[in-house]
mmCIF file of all heavy atoms in Angstrom:
data_model
loop_
_atom_site.group_PDB
_atom_site.id
_atom_site.type_symbol
_atom_site.label_atom_id
_atom_site.label_comp_id
_atom_site.label_asym_id
_atom_site.label_seq_id
_atom_site.Cartn_x
_atom_site.Cartn_y
_atom_site.Cartn_z
ATOM 1 N N LEU A 156 -12.415 13.819 1.308
ATOM 2 C CA LEU A 156 -11.561 12.766 1.765
ATOM 3 C C LEU A 156 -12.288 11.740 2.601
ATOM 4 O O LEU A 156 -12.086 10.596 2.384
ATOM 5 C CB LEU A 156 -10.509 13.495 2.693
ATOM 6 C CG LEU A 156 -9.273 12.645 3.155
ATOM 7 C CD1 LEU A 156 -8.513 12.118 1.974
ATOM 8 C CD2 LEU A 156 -8.401 13.542 4.021
ATOM 9 N N ASP A 157 -13.201 12.185 3.444
ATOM 10 C CA ASP A 157 -14.011 11.247 4.234
ATOM 11 C C ASP A 157 -14.820 10.248 3.375
ATOM 12 O O ASP A 157 -14.974 9.039 3.767
ATOM 13 C CB ASP A 157 -14.942 11.977 5.202
ATOM 14 C CG ASP A 157 -14.139 12.703 6.315
ATOM 15 O OD1 ASP A 157 -13.046 12.299 6.517
ATOM 16 O OD2 ASP A 157 -14.788 13.647 6.925
ATOM 17 N N GLN A 158 -15.276 10.774 2.259
ATOM 18 C CA GLN A 158 -16.149 9.930 1.359
ATOM 19 C C GLN A 158 -15.317 8.751 0.782
ATOM 20 O O GLN A 158 -15.909 7.759 0.478
ATOM 21 C CB GLN A 158 -16.691 10.749 0.291
ATOM 22 C CG GLN A 158 -17.792 11.661 0.698
ATOM 23 C CD GLN A 158 -18.308 12.669 -0.417
ATOM 24 O OE1 GLN A 158 -17.800 12.499 -1.544
ATOM 25 N NE2 GLN A 158 -19.166 13.468 -0.118
ATOM 26 N N GLN A 159 -14.035 8.910 0.722
ATOM 27 C CA GLN A 159 -13.188 7.817 0.140
ATOM 28 C C GLN A 159 -12.262 7.164 1.109
ATOM 29 O O GLN A 159 -11.657 6.175 0.781
ATOM 30 C CB GLN A 159 -12.215 8.479 -0.957
ATOM 31 C CG GLN A 159 -12.931 9.168 -2.086
ATOM 32 C CD GLN A 159 -13.840 8.173 -2.771
ATOM 33 O OE1 GLN A 159 -15.058 8.528 -2.999
ATOM 34 N NE2 GLN A 159 -13.391 7.102 -3.299
ATOM 35 N N MET A 160 -12.334 7.496 2.392
ATOM 36 C CA MET A 160 -11.391 6.996 3.362
ATOM 37 C C MET A 160 -11.575 5.464 3.574
ATOM 38 O O MET A 160 -10.575 4.790 3.757
ATOM 39 C CB MET A 160 -11.538 7.681 4.701
ATOM 40 C CG MET A 160 -10.737 9.059 4.790
ATOM 41 S SD MET A 160 -8.986 8.871 4.125
ATOM 42 C CE MET A 160 -8.316 7.692 5.415
ATOM 43 N N THR A 161 -12.824 4.982 3.572
ATOM 44 C CA THR A 161 -12.993 3.525 3.654
ATOM 45 C C THR A 161 -12.266 2.697 2.567
ATOM 46 O O THR A 161 -11.537 1.785 2.859
ATOM 47 C CB THR A 161 -14.437 3.152 3.625
ATOM 48 O OG1 THR A 161 -15.150 3.818 4.715
ATOM 49 C CG2 THR A 161 -14.703 1.681 3.782
ATOM 50 N N LYS A 162 -12.406 3.176 1.368
ATOM 51 C CA LYS A 162 -11.648 2.514 0.281
ATOM 52 C C LYS A 162 -10.192 2.741 0.310
ATOM 53 O O LYS A 162 -9.370 1.855 0.005
ATOM 54 C CB LYS A 162 -12.213 3.034 -1.091
ATOM 55 C CG LYS A 162 -13.586 2.521 -1.532
ATOM 56 C CD LYS A 162 -13.928 2.896 -2.869
ATOM 57 C CE LYS A 162 -15.249 2.259 -3.355
ATOM 58 N NZ LYS A 162 -15.596 2.635 -4.729
ATOM 59 N N ILE A 163 -9.743 3.941 0.724
ATOM 60 C CA ILE A 163 -8.339 4.195 0.821
ATOM 61 C C ILE A 163 -7.713 3.230 1.901
ATOM 62 O O ILE A 163 -6.644 2.724 1.719
ATOM 63 C CB ILE A 163 -8.109 5.681 1.111
ATOM 64 C CG1 ILE A 163 -8.471 6.561 -0.009
ATOM 65 C CG2 ILE A 163 -6.674 5.937 1.550
ATOM 66 C CD1 ILE A 163 -8.548 8.103 0.257
ATOM 67 N N ARG A 164 -8.420 3.130 3.040
ATOM 68 C CA ARG A 164 -7.896 2.276 4.048
ATOM 69 C C ARG A 164 -7.783 0.813 3.609
ATOM 70 O O ARG A 164 -6.826 0.088 3.916
ATOM 71 C CB ARG A 164 -8.761 2.312 5.342
ATOM 72 C CG ARG A 164 -8.607 3.687 6.060
ATOM 73 C CD ARG A 164 -9.298 3.597 7.434
ATOM 74 N NE ARG A 164 -9.269 4.922 8.157
ATOM 75 C CZ ARG A 164 -10.238 5.770 8.153
ATOM 76 N NH1 ARG A 164 -11.332 5.504 7.538
ATOM 77 N NH2 ARG A 164 -10.117 6.949 8.718
ATOM 78 N N LYS A 165 -8.764 0.326 2.859
ATOM 79 C CA LYS A 165 -8.819 -0.994 2.322
ATOM 80 C C LYS A 165 -7.588 -1.152 1.395
ATOM 81 O O LYS A 165 -6.949 -2.171 1.376
ATOM 82 C CB LYS A 165 -10.073 -1.299 1.631
ATOM 83 C CG LYS A 165 -11.315 -1.537 2.590
ATOM 84 C CD LYS A 165 -12.489 -1.841 1.770
ATOM 85 C CE LYS A 165 -13.712 -2.137 2.701
ATOM 86 N NZ LYS A 165 -14.936 -2.387 2.007
ATOM 87 N N ALA A 166 -7.305 -0.130 0.563
ATOM 88 C CA ALA A 166 -6.178 -0.193 -0.340
ATOM 89 C C ALA A 166 -4.916 -0.288 0.376
ATOM 90 O O ALA A 166 -4.036 -1.076 -0.050
ATOM 91 C CB ALA A 166 -6.149 1.113 -1.209
ATOM 92 N N THR A 167 -4.701 0.508 1.473
ATOM 93 C CA THR A 167 -3.468 0.336 2.185
ATOM 94 C C THR A 167 -3.361 -1.018 2.929
ATOM 95 O O THR A 167 -2.294 -1.601 3.008
ATOM 96 C CB THR A 167 -3.347 1.494 3.314
ATOM 97 O OG1 THR A 167 -4.520 1.460 4.160
ATOM 98 C CG2 THR A 167 -3.372 2.808 2.592
ATOM 99 N N ASP A 168 -4.525 -1.539 3.370
ATOM 100 C CA ASP A 168 -4.408 -2.902 3.913
ATOM 101 C C ASP A 168 -3.946 -3.937 2.879
ATOM 102 O O ASP A 168 -3.181 -4.839 3.186
ATOM 103 C CB ASP A 168 -5.849 -3.321 4.352
ATOM 104 C CG ASP A 168 -6.320 -2.606 5.691
ATOM 105 O OD1 ASP A 168 -5.400 -2.014 6.338
ATOM 106 O OD2 ASP A 168 -7.474 -2.661 5.991
ATOM 107 N N ILE A 169 -4.460 -3.793 1.689
ATOM 108 C CA ILE A 169 -4.047 -4.728 0.654
ATOM 109 C C ILE A 169 -2.538 -4.588 0.287
ATOM 110 O O ILE A 169 -1.859 -5.546 0.033
ATOM 111 C CB ILE A 169 -4.901 -4.508 -0.739
ATOM 112 C CG1 ILE A 169 -6.369 -4.853 -0.369
ATOM 113 C CG2 ILE A 169 -4.359 -5.412 -1.824
ATOM 114 C CD1 ILE A 169 -7.321 -4.469 -1.515
ATOM 115 N N VAL A 170 -2.083 -3.381 0.303
ATOM 116 C CA VAL A 170 -0.607 -3.181 0.010
ATOM 117 C C VAL A 170 0.232 -3.965 0.941
ATOM 118 O O VAL A 170 1.311 -4.497 0.534
ATOM 119 C CB VAL A 170 -0.310 -1.722 -0.011
ATOM 120 C CG1 VAL A 170 1.218 -1.431 -0.122
ATOM 121 C CG2 VAL A 170 -1.032 -0.952 -1.177
ATOM 122 N N ALA A 171 -0.098 -3.943 2.209
ATOM 123 C CA ALA A 171 0.620 -4.694 3.249
ATOM 124 C C ALA A 171 0.548 -6.188 3.016
ATOM 125 O O ALA A 171 1.336 -6.958 3.679
ATOM 126 C CB ALA A 171 0.206 -4.279 4.667
ATOM 127 N N GLY A 172 -0.351 -6.678 2.180
ATOM 128 C CA GLY A 172 -0.481 -8.004 1.835
ATOM 129 C C GLY A 172 -0.592 -8.973 2.956
ATOM 130 O O GLY A 172 -1.308 -8.774 3.941
ATOM 131 N N ASN A 173 0.117 -10.117 2.893
ATOM 132 C CA ASN A 173 0.012 -11.244 3.857
ATOM 133 C C ASN A 173 1.124 -11.139 4.928
ATOM 134 O O ASN A 173 1.481 -12.210 5.489
ATOM 135 C CB ASN A 173 0.005 -12.608 3.207
ATOM 136 C CG ASN A 173 1.277 -12.725 2.255
ATOM 137 O OD1 ASN A 173 2.068 -11.861 2.042
ATOM 138 N ND2 ASN A 173 1.427 -14.004 1.836
ATOM 139 N N LEU A 174 1.723 -9.977 5.128
ATOM 140 C CA LEU A 174 2.784 -9.897 6.118
ATOM 141 C C LEU A 174 2.161 -10.064 7.534
ATOM 142 O O LEU A 174 1.060 -9.567 7.829
ATOM 143 C CB LEU A 174 3.472 -8.478 6.130
ATOM 144 C CG LEU A 174 4.228 -8.182 4.771
ATOM 145 C CD1 LEU A 174 4.805 -6.756 4.853
ATOM 146 C CD2 LEU A 174 5.391 -9.162 4.539
ATOM 147 N N THR A 175 2.971 -10.780 8.389
ATOM 148 C CA THR A 175 2.532 -10.786 9.787
ATOM 149 C C THR A 175 2.815 -9.496 10.490
ATOM 150 O O THR A 175 3.494 -8.576 9.949
ATOM 151 C CB THR A 175 3.327 -11.953 10.548
ATOM 152 O OG1 THR A 175 4.727 -11.539 10.572
ATOM 153 C CG2 THR A 175 3.157 -13.250 9.771
ATOM 154 N N HIS A 176 2.269 -9.342 11.725
ATOM 155 C CA HIS A 176 2.501 -8.095 12.501
ATOM 156 C C HIS A 176 4.005 -7.844 12.655
ATOM 157 O O HIS A 176 4.442 -6.747 12.490
ATOM 158 C CB HIS A 176 1.762 -8.220 13.807
ATOM 159 C CG HIS A 176 2.081 -7.015 14.739
ATOM 160 N ND1 HIS A 176 1.445 -5.750 14.490
ATOM 161 C CD2 HIS A 176 2.887 -6.817 15.726
ATOM 162 C CE1 HIS A 176 1.889 -4.910 15.400
ATOM 163 N NE2 HIS A 176 2.768 -5.494 16.130
ATOM 164 N N ASN A 177 4.708 -8.894 13.073
ATOM 165 C CA ASN A 177 6.157 -8.787 13.227
ATOM 166 C C ASN A 177 6.921 -8.335 11.971
ATOM 167 O O ASN A 177 7.782 -7.594 12.028
ATOM 168 C CB ASN A 177 6.732 -10.072 13.768
ATOM 169 C CG ASN A 177 6.447 -10.302 15.199
ATOM 170 O OD1 ASN A 177 5.958 -9.266 16.055
ATOM 171 N ND2 ASN A 177 6.470 -11.508 15.674
ATOM 172 N N GLU A 178 6.450 -8.915 10.849
ATOM 173 C CA GLU A 178 7.060 -8.646 9.531
ATOM 174 C C GLU A 178 6.761 -7.127 9.155
ATOM 175 O O GLU A 178 7.618 -6.435 8.671
ATOM 176 C CB GLU A 178 6.614 -9.498 8.480
ATOM 177 C CG GLU A 178 7.167 -10.953 8.560
ATOM 178 C CD GLU A 178 6.525 -12.015 7.716
ATOM 179 O OE1 GLU A 178 5.332 -11.665 7.223
ATOM 180 O OE2 GLU A 178 7.119 -12.897 7.361
ATOM 181 N N LYS A 179 5.551 -6.692 9.492
ATOM 182 C CA LYS A 179 5.225 -5.337 9.208
ATOM 183 C C LYS A 179 6.090 -4.376 10.072
ATOM 184 O O LYS A 179 6.605 -3.303 9.563
ATOM 185 C CB LYS A 179 3.785 -5.020 9.542
ATOM 186 C CG LYS A 179 2.803 -5.697 8.590
ATOM 187 C CD LYS A 179 1.371 -5.553 9.033
ATOM 188 C CE LYS A 179 0.419 -6.280 8.231
ATOM 189 N NZ LYS A 179 -1.048 -6.179 8.585
ATOM 190 N N MET A 180 6.300 -4.698 11.325
ATOM 191 C CA MET A 180 7.134 -3.821 12.222
ATOM 192 C C MET A 180 8.594 -3.867 11.713
ATOM 193 O O MET A 180 9.249 -2.734 11.735
ATOM 194 C CB MET A 180 7.075 -4.361 13.646
ATOM 195 C CG MET A 180 5.696 -4.327 14.239
ATOM 196 S SD MET A 180 4.931 -2.672 14.292
ATOM 197 C CE MET A 180 3.773 -2.816 12.910
ATOM 198 N N GLU A 181 9.052 -4.972 11.303
ATOM 199 C CA GLU A 181 10.426 -5.005 10.805
ATOM 200 C C GLU A 181 10.631 -4.192 9.404
ATOM 201 O O GLU A 181 11.582 -3.501 9.244
ATOM 202 C CB GLU A 181 10.833 -6.424 10.605
ATOM 203 C CG GLU A 181 12.305 -6.667 9.990
ATOM 204 C CD GLU A 181 13.351 -6.217 10.923
ATOM 205 O OE1 GLU A 181 13.079 -5.871 12.117
ATOM 206 O OE2 GLU A 181 14.506 -6.179 10.514
ATOM 207 N N LEU A 182 9.613 -4.408 8.617
ATOM 208 C CA LEU A 182 9.582 -3.624 7.362
ATOM 209 C C LEU A 182 9.540 -2.082 7.599
ATOM 210 O O LEU A 182 10.320 -1.365 6.912
ATOM 211 C CB LEU A 182 8.465 -4.053 6.450
ATOM 212 C CG LEU A 182 8.401 -3.302 5.059
ATOM 213 C CD1 LEU A 182 9.630 -3.611 4.266
ATOM 214 C CD2 LEU A 182 7.152 -3.853 4.282
ATOM 215 N N ILE A 183 8.699 -1.678 8.582
ATOM 216 C CA ILE A 183 8.718 -0.238 8.904
ATOM 217 C C ILE A 183 10.040 0.231 9.407
ATOM 218 O O ILE A 183 10.470 1.341 9.004
ATOM 219 C CB ILE A 183 7.644 0.017 9.912
ATOM 220 C CG1 ILE A 183 6.231 -0.117 9.328
ATOM 221 C CG2 ILE A 183 7.781 1.436 10.536
ATOM 222 C CD1 ILE A 183 5.080 -0.123 10.382
ATOM 223 N N ARG A 184 10.715 -0.580 10.208
ATOM 224 C CA ARG A 184 12.019 -0.198 10.750
ATOM 225 C C ARG A 184 12.981 -0.023 9.612
ATOM 226 O O ARG A 184 13.837 0.980 9.541
ATOM 227 C CB ARG A 184 12.504 -1.259 11.710
ATOM 228 C CG ARG A 184 13.866 -0.952 12.412
ATOM 229 C CD ARG A 184 14.461 -2.146 13.076
ATOM 230 N NE ARG A 184 14.835 -3.176 12.177
ATOM 231 C CZ ARG A 184 15.995 -3.153 11.482
ATOM 232 N NH1 ARG A 184 16.772 -2.110 11.601
ATOM 233 N NH2 ARG A 184 16.304 -4.184 10.686
ATOM 234 N N ILE A 185 12.963 -0.943 8.697
ATOM 235 C CA ILE A 185 13.945 -0.863 7.488
ATOM 236 C C ILE A 185 13.620 0.266 6.636
ATOM 237 O O ILE A 185 14.601 1.048 6.195
ATOM 238 C CB ILE A 185 14.047 -2.214 6.812
ATOM 239 C CG1 ILE A 185 14.530 -3.358 7.631
ATOM 240 C CG2 ILE A 185 14.743 -2.114 5.434
ATOM 241 C CD1 ILE A 185 14.389 -4.747 7.018
ATOM 242 N N LEU A 186 12.438 0.507 6.294
ATOM 243 C CA LEU A 186 11.994 1.557 5.399
ATOM 244 C C LEU A 186 12.300 2.898 6.085
ATOM 245 O O LEU A 186 12.702 3.893 5.354
ATOM 246 C CB LEU A 186 10.558 1.433 4.980
ATOM 247 C CG LEU A 186 10.201 0.237 4.103
ATOM 248 C CD1 LEU A 186 8.721 0.114 3.821
ATOM 249 C CD2 LEU A 186 11.022 0.315 2.770
ATOM 250 N N ASN A 187 12.112 2.966 7.370
ATOM 251 C CA ASN A 187 12.396 4.254 8.101
ATOM 252 C C ASN A 187 13.912 4.568 7.962
ATOM 253 O O ASN A 187 14.258 5.715 7.832
ATOM 254 C CB ASN A 187 11.985 4.179 9.567
ATOM 255 C CG ASN A 187 10.546 4.520 9.796
ATOM 256 O OD1 ASN A 187 9.950 5.291 9.073
ATOM 257 N ND2 ASN A 187 9.939 4.022 10.890
ATOM 258 N N LYS A 188 14.658 3.548 8.140
ATOM 259 C CA LYS A 188 16.184 3.756 8.041
ATOM 260 C C LYS A 188 16.515 4.205 6.659
ATOM 261 O O LYS A 188 17.318 5.151 6.468
ATOM 262 C CB LYS A 188 16.864 2.373 8.325
ATOM 263 C CG LYS A 188 18.416 2.579 8.357
ATOM 264 C CD LYS A 188 19.024 1.225 8.767
ATOM 265 C CE LYS A 188 20.575 1.408 8.894
ATOM 266 N NZ LYS A 188 21.249 0.142 9.356
ATOM 267 N N LEU A 189 15.930 3.654 5.600
ATOM 268 C CA LEU A 189 16.211 4.113 4.243
ATOM 269 C C LEU A 189 15.693 5.567 4.044
ATOM 270 O O LEU A 189 16.368 6.371 3.462
ATOM 271 C CB LEU A 189 15.506 3.217 3.191
ATOM 272 C CG LEU A 189 16.231 1.936 2.790
ATOM 273 C CD1 LEU A 189 15.325 1.136 1.908
ATOM 274 C CD2 LEU A 189 17.482 2.255 2.101
ATOM 275 N N ASP A 190 14.524 5.861 4.591
ATOM 276 C CA ASP A 190 13.989 7.315 4.447
ATOM 277 C C ASP A 190 14.888 8.306 5.154
ATOM 278 O O ASP A 190 15.095 9.376 4.610
ATOM 279 C CB ASP A 190 12.577 7.265 5.070
ATOM 280 C CG ASP A 190 11.905 8.612 4.762
ATOM 281 O OD1 ASP A 190 11.657 8.895 3.562
ATOM 282 O OD2 ASP A 190 11.579 9.305 5.748
ATOM 283 N N ARG A 191 15.354 7.915 6.335
ATOM 284 C CA ARG A 191 16.354 8.779 7.002
ATOM 285 C C ARG A 191 17.597 9.065 6.243
ATOM 286 O O ARG A 191 18.219 10.117 6.345
ATOM 287 C CB ARG A 191 16.662 8.279 8.429
ATOM 288 C CG ARG A 191 15.482 8.332 9.408
ATOM 289 C CD ARG A 191 16.079 8.069 10.796
ATOM 290 N NE ARG A 191 16.631 6.771 10.910
ATOM 291 C CZ ARG A 191 15.949 5.688 11.273
ATOM 292 N NH1 ARG A 191 14.623 5.780 11.484
ATOM 293 N NH2 ARG A 191 16.588 4.528 11.470
ATOM 294 N N PHE A 192 17.967 8.064 5.379
ATOM 295 C CA PHE A 192 19.211 8.246 4.544
ATOM 296 C C PHE A 192 18.888 9.171 3.391
ATOM 297 O O PHE A 192 19.596 10.071 3.043
ATOM 298 C CB PHE A 192 19.637 6.888 4.106
ATOM 299 C CG PHE A 192 20.773 6.987 3.072
ATOM 300 C CD1 PHE A 192 22.090 7.276 3.446
ATOM 301 C CD2 PHE A 192 20.500 6.894 1.643
ATOM 302 C CE1 PHE A 192 23.180 7.413 2.536
ATOM 303 C CE2 PHE A 192 21.569 7.024 0.722
ATOM 304 C CZ PHE A 192 22.823 7.303 1.206
ATOM 305 N N HIS A 193 17.753 8.918 2.744
ATOM 306 C CA HIS A 193 17.491 9.570 1.434
ATOM 307 C C HIS A 193 16.857 10.988 1.585
ATOM 308 O O HIS A 193 17.159 11.834 0.765
ATOM 309 C CB HIS A 193 16.489 8.726 0.542
ATOM 310 C CG HIS A 193 17.142 7.504 -0.004
ATOM 311 N ND1 HIS A 193 18.180 7.464 -0.882
ATOM 312 C CD2 HIS A 193 16.913 6.115 0.375
ATOM 313 C CE1 HIS A 193 18.529 6.247 -1.135
ATOM 314 N NE2 HIS A 193 17.753 5.421 -0.457
ATOM 315 N N TYR A 194 16.101 11.214 2.600
ATOM 316 C CA TYR A 194 15.440 12.504 2.729
ATOM 317 C C TYR A 194 16.373 13.724 2.768
ATOM 318 O O TYR A 194 16.183 14.776 2.061
ATOM 319 C CB TYR A 194 14.448 12.524 3.881
ATOM 320 C CG TYR A 194 13.559 13.770 3.868
ATOM 321 C CD1 TYR A 194 12.553 13.960 2.943
ATOM 322 C CD2 TYR A 194 13.810 14.906 4.746
ATOM 323 C CE1 TYR A 194 11.732 15.092 2.911
ATOM 324 C CE2 TYR A 194 13.107 16.032 4.711
ATOM 325 C CZ TYR A 194 12.041 16.114 3.798
ATOM 326 O OH TYR A 194 11.306 17.293 3.766
ATOM 327 N N PRO A 195 17.405 13.672 3.594
ATOM 328 C CA PRO A 195 18.373 14.798 3.689
ATOM 329 C C PRO A 195 18.997 15.060 2.202
ATOM 330 O O PRO A 195 19.247 16.210 1.923
ATOM 331 C CB PRO A 195 19.379 14.397 4.644
ATOM 332 C CG PRO A 195 18.727 13.457 5.531
ATOM 333 C CD PRO A 195 17.778 12.631 4.602
ATOM 334 N N ILE A 196 19.264 14.028 1.485
ATOM 335 C CA ILE A 196 19.843 14.201 0.208
ATOM 336 C C ILE A 196 18.877 14.797 -0.759
ATOM 337 O O ILE A 196 19.146 15.833 -1.455
ATOM 338 C CB ILE A 196 20.295 12.843 -0.469
ATOM 339 C CG1 ILE A 196 21.360 12.190 0.479
ATOM 340 C CG2 ILE A 196 20.680 12.987 -1.856
ATOM 341 C CD1 ILE A 196 21.645 10.708 0.062
ATOM 342 N N PHE A 197 17.582 14.395 -0.734
ATOM 343 C CA PHE A 197 16.486 14.932 -1.576
ATOM 344 C C PHE A 197 16.334 16.387 -1.215
ATOM 345 O O PHE A 197 16.090 17.238 -2.073
ATOM 346 C CB PHE A 197 15.221 14.171 -1.287
ATOM 347 C CG PHE A 197 14.023 14.813 -1.907
ATOM 348 C CD1 PHE A 197 13.690 14.639 -3.251
ATOM 349 C CD2 PHE A 197 13.066 15.574 -1.070
ATOM 350 C CE1 PHE A 197 12.645 15.270 -3.830
ATOM 351 C CE2 PHE A 197 11.972 16.158 -1.646
ATOM 352 C CZ PHE A 197 11.788 15.950 -3.010
ATOM 353 N N SER A 198 16.375 16.790 0.110
ATOM 354 C CA SER A 198 16.165 18.107 0.595
ATOM 355 C C SER A 198 17.160 19.098 0.031
ATOM 356 O O SER A 198 16.907 20.271 0.026
ATOM 357 C CB SER A 198 16.087 18.184 2.073
ATOM 358 O OG SER A 198 15.017 17.394 2.519
#
């Protein structure tokens, strides 16, 4: 895992794209809300 973590972190940085910090925080809030809805159903 450690051997690939630098590339993995870079990949996650790219996925977040050109979002600003505030946009990232808002997206996390919205995705968390969706996750809280779907996970109990999945379980």
Side-chain angles (χ1 to χ4, degrees):
L156 193 57
D157 289 342
Q158 288 173 3
Q159 299 302 124
M160 279 310 298
T161 298
K162 285 189 174 181
I163 291 169
R164 290 191 182 99
K165 287 181 178 179
T167 58
D168 286 344
I169 294 171
V170 171
N173 59 348
L174 295 179
T175 66
H176 176 76
N177 287 339
E178 287 170 337
K179 290 174 185 176
M180 297 304 102
E181 179 64 9
L182 181 59
I183 289 171
R184 183 190 68 79
I185 292 171
L186 292 177
N187 274 335
K188 184 174 182 179
L189 276 174
D190 188 63
R191 287 193 300 271
F192 173 80
H193 290 292
Y194 187 76
I196 298 172
F197 171 79
S198 298

